[in-house]
Amino acid sequence: MHPPHFTTAIWIASASITFAYSIPDNLAQIYDDHKSKTCDNIIASGFSDGENSDTTFTYCGDIDNVVFLHSSSMGGQYDNMDIDCDGANANSGNCGNDPSIQGQTTFQDQVSQYGISDLDANIHPYVVFGNTDYDPQESSMEPLSVMAVICNEQVFYGIWGDTNGGDVTGEASIALAELCFPDAGISGDSGHTADDVMYIGFTGQDAVPGSSADWTAESTQDFEDSIKSLGDQLVNGLA
């Protein structure tokens, strides 16, 4: 299956997904341009998508004020989306069959100031970003900052909410995965295997929504709505 060419597609959100966001032209161009390129500014390398041991992924800094996951294998590709159910209510919803659930996320202490015990993978669309041998804070990313995720010919906004031990990349909360792939039968043990998801982390304090995000939201849509304006602002600032 050939990956979608974002610059030539017409972006129409499905009526059943009221919080899918059309991809702005600059972000569509970025997706197309960098997918087939090699990464010139490799921040950290030697990572995996957890599926194909022959494919090596890097944290790339080729875009100003951004860190993104990329592989130069097979003419260029992004990453997959494995499922993370760590945090509060870890065994609820469709997360019950996740074989690797952890009781807390990396930034549990930081998010507790906003009136919740931890991120809830069933509600908060968070991204697992960073590994044992690479901490995105070294690149000036801030915990709980907004990230842009291009998936299934759409863009959603997530939060940098967790990190991963070892070298596996391309993981996100089940809430984010269900936004991206609502008809794929996503569960705690079944994600999206194609390497066509672009994870974009923004650097600097300006990417942190703080108390303006609805951390106590009871639905993923409500949380998404609370960070959309900041996400749009960050994306609009990309060259």
Side-chain angles (χ1 to χ4, degrees):
M1 178 178 177
H2 294 286
H5 290 283
F6 286 5
T7 52
T8 59
I10 298 174
W11 304 108
I12 302 176
S14 167
S16 63
I17 309 174
T18 59
F19 39 96
Y21 306 138
S22 298
I23 300 179
D25 290 344
N26 68 323
L27 191 57
Q29 190 70 53
I30 284 169
Y31 183 99
D32 277 350
D33 286 350
H34 289 274
K35 195 173 197 304
S36 60
K37 289 181 179 179
T38 58
C39 178
D40 294 324
N41 181 16
I42 296 175
I43 300 170
S45 62
F47 299 95
S48 164
D49 66 354
E51 302 286 342
N52 186 350
S53 60
D54 295 329
T55 303
T56 300
F57 288 80
T58 66
Y59 287 90
C60 184
D62 280 357
I63 305 169
D64 290 343
N65 305 313
V66 156
V67 179
F68 66 97
L69 280 163
H70 180 268
S71 174
S72 296
S73 301
M74 301 174 62
Q77 55 192 353
Y78 293 118
D79 216 318
N80 63 2
M81 186 175 284
D82 294 327
I83 307 305
D84 189 270
C85 289
D86 297 352
N89 304 312
N91 290 293
S92 62
N94 290 324
C95 277
N97 62 346
D98 184 345
S100 60
I101 286 177
Q102 301 293 317
Q104 66 184 60
T105 65
T106 300
F107 304 127
Q108 180 186 40
D109 290 343
Q110 289 92 328
V111 79
S112 64
Q113 66 183 299
Y114 300 118
I116 57 176
S117 61
D118 201 349
L119 294 172
D120 185 333
N122 293 284
I123 293 177
H124 299 106
Y126 67 74
V127 178
V128 182
F129 208 65
N131 296 81
T132 301
D133 292 331
Y134 172 62
D135 180 355
Q137 292 183 81
E138 298 170 6
S139 302
S140 299
M141 280 185 64
E142 296 287 340
L144 305 178
S145 55
V146 168
M147 296 184 64
V149 180
I150 302 175
C151 54
N152 199 19
E153 303 185 5
Q154 304 160 95
V155 61
F156 293 99
Y157 298 119
I159 294 293
W160 178 31
D162 207 0
T163 59
N164 209 348
D167 64 356
V168 174
T169 60
E171 196 170 6
S173 72
I174 193 166
L176 182 54
E178 289 175 337
L179 291 181
C180 288
F181 308 103
D183 301 318
I186 296 294
S187 72
D189 195 35
S190 179
H192 174 76
T193 58
D195 290 320
D196 55 8
V197 179
M198 187 178 189
Y199 299 95
I200 300 174
F202 298 94
T203 61
Q205 189 64 41
D206 289 345
V208 180
S211 58
S212 68
D214 187 3
W215 300 100
T216 59
E218 296 183 358
S219 73
T220 303
Q221 180 173 354
D222 287 345
F223 186 81
E224 276 285 285
D225 289 345
S226 75
I227 62 173
K228 183 181 185 299
S229 61
L230 177 55
D232 286 344
Q233 178 182 331
L234 294 167
V235 165
N236 289 340
L238 295 176

